[in-house]
Amino acid sequence: MTTPDASTRVPWASHRRRRPAVVAAVLTAVFLGTLGNVPAAHAGPASPAQTACPPDLAGKARCYTGQDANGAHYTMAVPVDWNGSLVVHAHGGPDLGDASDPSRSTDDLARWAVMVDEGYAWAGSAYRRGGYGARMAAADTENVRRLFTERFGRPERTYLHGQSWGGNVAAKVAETYGRRPGAYDGVLLTNGVLGGGSRGYDYRVDLRTVYQYYCHNHPRPTEPQYPLWQGLRPDSTMTTAGLRARLQECTGYASEPGDRTALQQRNLDDILAVTRIPERTLESHLKFATFTFRDIVTNRLGGRNPWSNRGVRYSGSHDDKALNAGVERFSADPSARRDLSYDSDLTGRVSLPVLTLHAIDDPTAFVEHEAAYRATLRGAGRGGNLVQTFTKEAEHSSLSDSEYANSISALDTWARSGRKPTPSSVAASCGAFDAMYGDGCFYDPGFRPAPYASRVRPRPGGLGWPAMTAAQERAWSRIDGVGIAP
């Protein structure tokens, strides 16, 4: 292992949470290259290069960027006052595009700078390409951990953090790589998409079909027709601005209620009532059901259909009978559904402490995803590894820094002591962090999310969890070409 040079050495012992004896032992091991059995760092594109930190971390940390052997850009940060532990971050999305976006991991470091403020080193991958692929993103996340270890030595503790779709990715990392000794010590999932891919987007499948029933403009009757499960035909040149214009044309969603026509208001009311999607995120959900669905179907599954709405009874509209008779129906290709499930569904077989934090009124990843994840771990006999916390917030990508700092501290204490926290104890400890960050603690320790099927209409046979069992995962893994290619 390469011994850190002067520019990477950090005074761990000065951090307020470190014990001097432990610090001295770890510090000596890292500087002498004896901590952990890791290969030497290699020169070339995989070696991180020092760069400017985001403004909020200027003077607090040393930051590094690089590109791994698979083409994934990454960003790392080592606090000047490092506590010896590492947070490995999995970002949300998925972003679309053919290449890795070098700004993505840097932007996420700026957003979660609170982790570095708390003394943790940070490493995040932008993934090797855009588009869907949970296992690919999990492999790139694991790789950035290894690169960090090669460059800076094995941390005393390593924690996974996944936000949004990154929650799915981080949970997949925990299941796939978390059983390796010394790899990870705990998992923090915030506002995670934890229902997996085969069920976690069913409400967007419903939106895509219900929208077309009312609006008839996606596609228009005069345009080439295609099955709605494609999201968008492969050769379409529609842009997000074009989709926004069609949504406005049909529903007037961007207008004041008084400026909408009666038909626009009725269309909007029916779409929202049937799909149970909040009005303020209607556009973003329709974008996902258009452009990301096209990516999944066309680019990742070779044109095969993983979605189904056969047997779903839609309700809440002004005329449910007409809606159910007129909405487009389709059934999934079994091989496509298998491949999407293998790529992104979770078995629940995680052996690490897992702490989740979720806004009750999250308008993007509905809080009922947490009920699906709870049922998944319980179905795998691993429910004892999970603690779930909830806040009265109403945003998806922005919870309070006080809560993020409190959450990583609670996870760290759990991993070190073996004492499992409770929602009440996590809520009680937040005040100390709010004294520093001052942006609030909004926990509701008594909240429990309703079952996933109470928010997202289940497909026939879709009530049991996990959506993919460990036995299915093992069997499918033996099939050549199963899943989604990286």
Side-chain angles (χ1 to χ4, degrees), residues 329-346:
R329 299 283 182 175
F330 41 82
S331 298
D333 177 314
S335 69
R337 191 165 186 83
R338 175 205 66 197
D339 286 355
L340 182 59
S341 180
Y342 179 76
D343 180 76
S344 58
D345 283 346
L346 301 169

Side-chain angles (χ1 to χ4, degrees), residues 56 64 76 166 184-185 195 208 212 273 279 283 335 384 475:
D56 286 351
Y64 305 82
M76 300 173 179
Y184 298 97
D185 297 279
R208 188 67 185 85
Q212 182 65 3
E279 183 175 343
E283 179 189 340
S335 69

